[in-house]
Amino acid sequence: MAFIDLMKEKAKQDVMTIILPESNDKRTLIAAAQVLKEKTADLIMIGKEEKIMDGAHWLEVDLTGLKVVDPDTDPKFDHYAETLFKLREKKGMTLEKAQEILKTDYITYGVMMVKEKDADGLVAGACHATADTLRPALQILKTAPGTELVSSFFVMCCKDDTYGNDGVLLFADCALNQNPNPEELAAIATASAASFEAFVGGDARVAMLSHSTKGSAKHADVTKVVEATRIAKEKHPEIKLDGELQLDAALVKEVGELKAPTSDVAGKANVLIFPDIDAGNIGYKLVQRFAGAKAFGPVLQGLAAPVNDLSRGCNAEDIVACVALTAFQATIM
């Protein structure tokens, strides 16, 4: 079974409630109809019900079963405003400002609903910048207990099943942390190992990527990866993790055996940790565009509840997939 089909089946086993706050976006309306049809999640949209249903009628999609919450009439509005005010009071928030934000910013409204456990997760970003989705999540939900750093990952499903687990790999961090220091890179690696095992299944084999393999090059960028590897191994010796490794040494059996013969990861990695966001973002898009891989994400790891970001270039199927991932993520948190 394809990875995303497996996620959908798992989501159906314990149906979660997911918020889609971008109710004015036609891709979101089309995706919502598909999610409701597939029964991978219960859905809440935020906005004016009449306008949402008019849009659905114009698009000829069925939103039967959708719950719509309108901040102007929601009986919980005052509670959300008071809670937001108290959460952000030390940062200069006033009750009046909280009310204004919640009337106009549907993503923040949705995050408040997740915070107050009136929903299990949220998916947005089809028509908002990443910062607009992540900022309220980080400010309001905070991090999960024991989390060192919030980071992101993509699940990459390749046409060629040679690499990873039958062609499925996890790439991190390709979307959130710009230039992580060794401690942050180690935290990304250990969180990604846990995410791989939760989402994909099987043992994670984590490669800390570099332009160097086991000292073949000397540079501060290499030293960062070497130090991150040391920290991750020291904190989590149970994880199969090694570095620094070049990409071919991480993935290709013959190259791994030649360049890192004592490694239990080289040549068979299924989790790739990039040294910075430039390498990660370029890397996943190269695999997606040139190799025709399916890229699912970015999925955020480390938040107290699931909030996930879409690309503004996404299509309706991307939103459907992200809802399934978010719903499954809610079941394991």
Side-chain angles (χ1 to χ4, degrees):
M1 183 180 291
F3 167 75
I4 197 59
D5 293 330
L6 181 61
M7 287 294 99
K8 289 180 178 181
E9 288 304 311
K10 288 183 176 182
K12 290 178 187 178
Q13 293 170 17
D14 187 6
V15 177
M16 297 286 112
T17 298
I18 305 301
I19 297 174
L20 296 175
E22 295 171 312
S23 56
N24 293 328
D25 181 76
K26 69 178 184 179
R27 295 163 297 174
T28 301
L29 295 175
I30 293 168
Q34 186 65 28
V35 170
L36 292 168
K37 179 181 179 181
E38 294 179 353
K39 302 184 187 306
T40 52
D42 292 331
L43 293 181
I44 297 173
M45 298 188 86
I46 301 173
K48 302 294 182 185
E49 184 165 10
E50 183 179 359
K51 187 173 182 180
I52 291 169
M53 293 308 171
D54 282 348
H57 179 74
W58 180 73
L59 292 166
E60 298 183 340
V61 297
D62 182 6
L63 294 182
T64 300
L66 176 72
K67 179 179 179 181
V68 177
V69 171
D70 182 353
D72 289 333
T73 58
D74 186 4
K76 291 191 174 182
F77 176 86
D78 289 338
H79 171 70
Y80 294 148
E82 181 71 22
T83 303
L84 178 58
F85 161 56
K86 290 179 178 178
L87 283 171
R88 303 290 296 163
E89 186 176 9
K90 292 181 180 179
K91 299 293 185 180
M93 181 68 70
T94 64
L95 180 58
E96 292 74 17
K97 182 65 175 176
Q99 292 169 336
E100 179 186 343
I101 291 171
L102 291 176
K103 288 285 188 182
T104 57
D105 184 346
Y106 289 174
I107 292 178
T108 298
Y109 201 92
V111 171
M112 282 303 308
M113 293 182 69
V114 175
K115 171 73 173 177
E116 295 300 287
K117 303 189 184 307
D118 292 320
D120 301 299
L122 179 145
V123 172
C127 48
H128 288 84
T130 294
D132 294 328
T133 301
L134 301 189
R135 188 185 305 108
L138 292 167
Q139 290 176 345
I140 295 167
L141 296 176
K142 312 294 186 183
T143 57
T147 296
E148 298 176 72
L149 180 75
V150 176
S151 56
S152 73
F153 65 87
F154 281 86
V155 175
M156 305 297 297
C157 299
C158 305
K159 292 181 178 179
D160 183 348
D161 63 4
T162 303
Y163 305 114
N165 282 25
D166 297 321
V168 181
L169 301 97
L170 186 148
F171 287 17
D173 181 348
C174 308
L176 189 55
N177 292 285
Q178 187 71 40
N179 188 16
N181 62 34
E183 291 78 13
E184 291 168 336
L185 198 58
I188 291 167
T190 55
S192 297
S195 291
F196 180 89
E197 293 179 1
F199 281 79
V200 181
D203 292 337
R205 298 181 297 275
V206 184
M208 308 294 284
L209 296 182
S210 172
H211 68 275
S212 168
T213 297
K214 299 297 183 180
S216 65
K218 304 294 182 184
H219 190 275
D221 290 345
V222 177
T223 302
K224 179 179 85 166
V225 177
V226 171
E227 179 64 7
T229 302
R230 183 194 67 77
I231 293 168
K233 284 185 172 183
E234 188 175 275
K235 288 186 174 182
H236 295 277
E238 75 282 4
I239 297 175
K240 293 179 181 177
L241 178 149
D242 203 8
E244 84 285 15
L245 295 171
Q246 292 164 295
L247 182 68
D248 55 354
L251 292 178
V252 181
K253 181 175 181 289
E254 295 78 11
V255 179
E257 289 174 349
L258 176 66
K259 293 186 174 183
T262 62
S263 174
D264 61 354
V265 170
K268 48 195 174 189
N270 51 28
V271 177
L272 303 182
I273 305 301
F274 293 85
D276 57 43
I277 198 172
D278 289 329
N281 192 270
I282 293 166
Y284 101 79
K285 287 181 177 177
L286 280 171
V287 176
Q288 181 186 37
R289 299 301 178 182
F290 280 83
K294 295 282 189 181
F296 297 105
V299 178
L300 297 188
Q301 51 191 3
L303 284 172
V307 170
N308 287 314
D309 182 40
L310 298 160
S311 165
R312 279 175 285 178
C314 69
N315 57 34
E317 281 301 316
D318 295 328
I319 301 173
V320 171
C322 193
V323 168
L325 289 169
T326 305
F328 170 70
Q329 190 178 20
T331 70
I332 60 174
M333 295 182 72

